[in-house]
């Protein structure tokens, strides 16, 4: 993507388009990734509530795959996940493994 | 034709603010500018203005509230001096970086320590690099006239930058002089309605102010800011021409006083320029070719125009009512840059005067001009930077 030159920018670094942070891929900052293990998931949606970004996708009140384009791998979802019968539904895996 | 009144500089600026009737003022009192907001607060409580007055706990908060109100879409003003401006410092950069056209009256006062409440330019010069447009004023009339023009320059669609109007603490702020006021409706028409560019309160068009900008874009925004402030030279002249039509008073980027054919030029800012003009006349009457240049627009600095105006001078003395310790005074540095860039090489000396409100008397100007005639004769400058009016 060709970056805008100084004459093409909005004054004062104002962002006139709402919600365009979605276009900025921040997932590359991640050192470890959350992995969703569906068979251990009770659909409590704690992960969706606690995610400081909005990287847990939800459809029809059920969670789906992580949005790895924006997940920074903070691990809050894995920490909060109650799992099922002592088995976590979210585990953190080091990137590159 | 407006009415003439004997009035102090602070009263004149409070009256100007009443006529501007800004949407929001956030301010914190500090000598010698306190009276501006004190009088303006009376206008607010008497219902003669529509302004939302925000009384805050510090100048840092005052400028922060001004920034918020300006981003929200309001026409915003404040007033301060000295330590107050110093406490605003980080917010001054935010106002200019976000391109918010806030207008401020700065009643120039010395910076601590030692603590001192009187007039010098260390506060204004200290904020030189904060991205604000700066207009300096010799007297109450100029300060009054400048604040309306500052609003117009700041809000101009090519500029969109904050502007401060400076006048000398006590010497102007608290002294009574005769000046002319313009009628309210004339001012109303002159400043017009403020049209915000990206008002935060426009919920149908949500925008973000103050995002994180990393090395891939930061310098582009600063390049755009550099372009905008430099355009203020042209806009200042356009606005001055319009202001002359309503007031009969003519303003430029600076005021040349008997500079044509001058061999010796002195550069003096604000009230001291008025004192020195009489002394220039005395020397002219004796056949000595001396002239004076009084800068008005200090940021952006009109380098080419000033170099041209000072072009024929063989000796230039630049007075500074502020010191940049370990360097030349801030005005000297600008004038030296202007002359150097224009390929001129006059003999130039720097006199630091009037710090902490020390009076600048006609005798002071006289002694310096005499010294300059000696430099003109010998071609030798001696010490380039010296304090004057100081006890040994």
């Amino acid at each position: 993507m060709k970056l805008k030159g100084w004459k093409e920018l909005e004054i004062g670094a104002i962002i006139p388009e709402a919600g365009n942070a979605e276009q900025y891929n921040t997932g590359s900052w991640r050192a470890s990734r959350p992995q969703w293990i569906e068979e251990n998931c009770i659909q409590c949606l704690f992960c969706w509530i606690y995610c400081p970004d909005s990287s847990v996708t939800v459809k029809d009140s059920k969670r789906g795959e992580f949005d790895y384009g924006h997940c920074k791998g903070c691990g809050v979802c894995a920490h909060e996940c109650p799992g099922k019968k002592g088995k976590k539904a979210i585990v953190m895996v080091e990137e590159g493994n | 034709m407006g009415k003439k009144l004997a009035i102090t500089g602070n009263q004149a600026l409070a009256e100007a603010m009443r006529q501007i009737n800004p949407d929001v003022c956030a301010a914190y009192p500090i000598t010698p500018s306190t009276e501006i907001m004190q009088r303006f607060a009376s206008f607010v409580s008497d219902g003669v203005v529509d302004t939302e007055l925000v009384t805050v706990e510090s100048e840092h908060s005052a400028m922060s509230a001004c920034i918020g109100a300006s981003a929200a879409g309001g026409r915003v003003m404040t007033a301060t001096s000295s330590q107050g401006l110093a406490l605003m410092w980080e917010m001054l950069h935010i106002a200019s970086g976000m391109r918010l056209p806030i207008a401020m009256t700065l009643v120039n006062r010395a910076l601590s320590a030692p603590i001192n409440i009187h007039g010098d330019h260390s506060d204004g010069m200290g904020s030189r690099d904060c991205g604000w447009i700066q207009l300096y004023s010799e007297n109450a009339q100029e300060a009054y006239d400048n604040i309306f023009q500052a609003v117009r320059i700041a809000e101009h669609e090519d500029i969109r930058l904050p502007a401060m109007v400076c006048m000398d603490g006590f010497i102007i702020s608290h002294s009574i002089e005769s000046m002319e006021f313009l009628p309210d409706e004339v001012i109303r028409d002159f400043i017009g309605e403020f049209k915000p560019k990206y008002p935060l309160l426009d919920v149908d068009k949500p925008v973000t102010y103050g995002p994180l900008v990393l090395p891939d874009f930061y310098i582009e925004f600063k390049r755009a800011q550099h372009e905008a402030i430099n355009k203020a030279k042209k806009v200042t002249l356009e606005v001055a021409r319009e202001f002359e039509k309503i007031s009969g008073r003519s303003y430029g980027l600076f005021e040349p006083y008997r500079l044509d054919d001058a061999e010796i030029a002195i550069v003096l800012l604000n009230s001291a320029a008025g004192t020195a003009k009489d002394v220039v006349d005395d020397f002219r009457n004796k056949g000595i070719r001396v002239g004076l240049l009084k800068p008005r627009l200090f940021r952006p600095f009109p380098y080419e125009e000033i170099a041209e105006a000072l072009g024929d001078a063989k000796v230039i003395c630049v007075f500074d009512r502020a010191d940049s310790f370990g360097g030349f005074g801030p005005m000297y540095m600008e004038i030296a840059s202007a002359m150097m860039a224009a390929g001129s090489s006059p003999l130039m000396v720097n006199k630091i005067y009037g710090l902490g409100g020390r009076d600048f008397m006609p005798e002071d100007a006289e002694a310096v001009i005499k010294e300059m005639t000696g430099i003109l004769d010998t071609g030798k400058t001696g010490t380039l930077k010296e304090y004057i009016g100081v006890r040994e």
Side-chain angles (χ1 to χ4, degrees):
Chain A
M1 188 176 84
K2 190 177 174 290
L3 298 178
K4 284 182 177 176
W6 67 268
K7 290 177 192 168
E8 302 164 295
L9 297 172
E10 295 296 339
I11 64 165
I14 287 146
I15 300 173
E17 190 188 337
N20 73 351
E22 199 176 0
Q23 297 164 22
Y24 189 37
N25 192 334
T26 47
S28 60
W29 303 357
R30 200 171 46 239
S32 53
R33 63 163 57 211
Q35 210 165 57
W36 181 42
I37 305 159
E38 196 173 352
E39 65 201 61
N40 296 338
C41 180
I42 58 166
Q43 293 293 345
C44 66
L45 299 184
F46 275 17
C47 50
W48 173 76
I49 290 167
Y50 281 102
C51 177
D53 202 293
S54 40
S55 299
V56 178
T57 60
V58 172
K59 202 180 170 191
D60 301 331
S61 305
K62 301 258 176 185
R63 70 151 292 166
E65 205 30 278
F66 283 104
D67 168 8
Y68 288 113
H70 295 94
C71 167
K72 293 162 197 72
C74 70
V76 169
C77 56
H79 181 81
E80 295 297 336
C81 178
K84 196 195 283 179
K85 294 180 182 167
K87 288 179 178 169
K88 286 268 187 188
I90 301 171
V91 292
M92 298 305 288
V93 182
E94 205 175 316
E95 282 290 349
N97 285 344
Chain B
M1 187 70 182
K3 66 178 172 187
K4 272 203 158 189
L5 278 177
I7 204 162
T8 69
N10 277 348
Q11 288 171 336
L13 285 180
E15 187 63 10
M17 285 179 70
R18 181 190 64 73
Q19 295 183 298
I20 293 168
N21 191 8
D23 297 308
V24 177
C25 281
Y28 189 83
I30 184 165
T31 303
S33 68
T34 302
E35 192 191 5
I36 298 174
M37 289 313 297
Q38 172 215 317
R39 285 179 178 271
F40 187 75
S42 302
F43 294 142
V44 174
S45 46
D46 292 346
V48 296
V49 288
D50 310 307
T51 309
E52 179 74 31
L53 180 68
V54 189
T55 50
V56 286
E57 71 277 29
S58 76
E59 287 86 355
H60 189 280
S61 303
M63 187 46 63
S64 302
C66 286
I67 288 166
S70 183
R75 178 177 267 159
V76 179
M77 294 186 75
T78 188
T80 197
S81 290
S82 182
Q83 307 305 122
L85 187 76
L87 187 52
M88 283 180 185
W89 195 84
E90 68 164 336
M91 303 317 291
L92 295 177
H93 285 260
I94 291 169
S96 60
M98 285 188 181
R99 307 288 298 275
L100 300 171
I102 299 161
M104 170 158 63
T105 56
L106 175 68
V107 182
N108 293 117
R109 165 185 151 183
L111 287 169
S112 300
I115 189 168
N116 174 292
I117 56 168
H118 288 272
D120 78 25
H121 304 151
S122 48
D123 50 4
M125 292 297 160
S127 65
R128 173 190 75 169
D129 300 338
C130 294
W132 283 56
I133 292 161
Q134 288 191 333
L135 288 168
Y136 283 81
S137 327
E138 181 182 323
N139 49 39
Q141 183 77 66
E142 286 192 8
Y144 174 82
D145 292 350
N146 276 342
I147 194 67
F148 304 121
Q149 296 178 68
V151 168
R152 284 284 306 275
I153 299 163
E155 292 176 3
H156 190 283
E157 60 176 356
D158 293 343
I159 313 286
R160 294 279 163 172
L161 282 169
M164 64 177 87
V165 168
C166 310
M167 70 174 180
D168 287 344
F170 287 104
I171 302 164
I172 302 302
S173 67
H174 286 62
S175 301
I176 292 175
E177 58 183 298
S178 169
M179 57 162 286
E180 188 189 80
F181 288 92
L182 293 164
D184 289 0
E185 61 278 10
V186 171
I187 294 300
R188 210 163 36 236
D189 291 347
F190 179 75
I191 60 167
E193 197 187 326
F194 175 50
K195 294 183 192 72
K197 207 165 158 62
Y198 293 110
L200 277 174
L201 289 180
D202 183 353
V203 291
D204 294 329
K205 289 182 203 150
V207 295
T208 299
Y209 274 82
L212 172 72
V213 176
L214 295 172
D216 56 350
F217 274 107
Y218 182 88
I219 196 169
E220 276 72 25
F221 284 111
K222 293 296 135 182
R223 175 65 184 84
Q225 202 178 323
H226 159 74
E227 189 79 4
I229 197 163
N230 280 333
K231 282 183 182 163
K233 274 201 302 189
K234 182 170 158 272
V235 172
T236 297
L237 290 174
E238 286 167 10
V239 170
R241 275 193 290 276
E242 266 190 66
F243 189 78
E244 189 175 0
K245 284 183 198 148
I246 62 163
S247 67
R249 290 184 289 277
S250 144
Y251 288 94
L253 302 173
F254 52 88
E255 184 195 344
Y257 186 77
R258 305 193 77 167
L259 260 187
D260 290 340
D261 83 350
E263 290 182 301
I264 296 167
I266 59 173
V267 179
L268 257 171
L269 201 58
N270 279 13
S271 63
T275 307
K277 283 174 188 170
D278 285 335
V279 182
V280 166
D281 289 344
D282 294 342
F283 277 90
R284 280 280 182 178
N285 291 341
K286 287 186 256 177
I288 294 165
R289 282 153 59 186
V290 57
L292 178 147
L293 186 140
K294 181 188 78 183
R296 175 179 180 239
L297 185 68
F298 188 76
R299 279 292 177 272
F301 196 82
Y303 294 99
E304 298 88 354
E305 295 83 353
I306 283 185
E308 201 186 331
L310 292 173
D312 296 331
K314 296 189 178 75
V315 176
I316 300 175
C317 177
V318 183
F319 288 80
D320 270 287
R321 204 167 200 154
D323 198 354
S324 173
F325 297 99
F328 286 110
M331 184 63 80
Y332 182 92
M333 291 193 258
E334 300 301 357
I335 302 292
S337 303
M339 302 317 287
M340 163 81 186
S344 307
S345 48
L347 298 167
M348 287 188 62
V349 293
N350 189 197
K351 301 292 184 194
I352 308 293
Y353 76 102
L355 302 188
R358 174 66 52 87
D359 279 332
F360 180 77
M361 304 302 282
E363 303 83 71
D364 297 316
E366 196 183 319
V368 169
I369 295 172
K370 268 191 193 144
E371 188 191 334
M372 295 308 115
T373 59
I375 292 175
L376 184 66
D377 291 342
T378 61
K380 290 195 174 67
T381 50
T383 309
L384 292 184
K385 178 190 173 188
E386 256 184 328
Y387 274 57
I388 62 163
V390 63
R391 286 185 304 278
E392 291 299 327

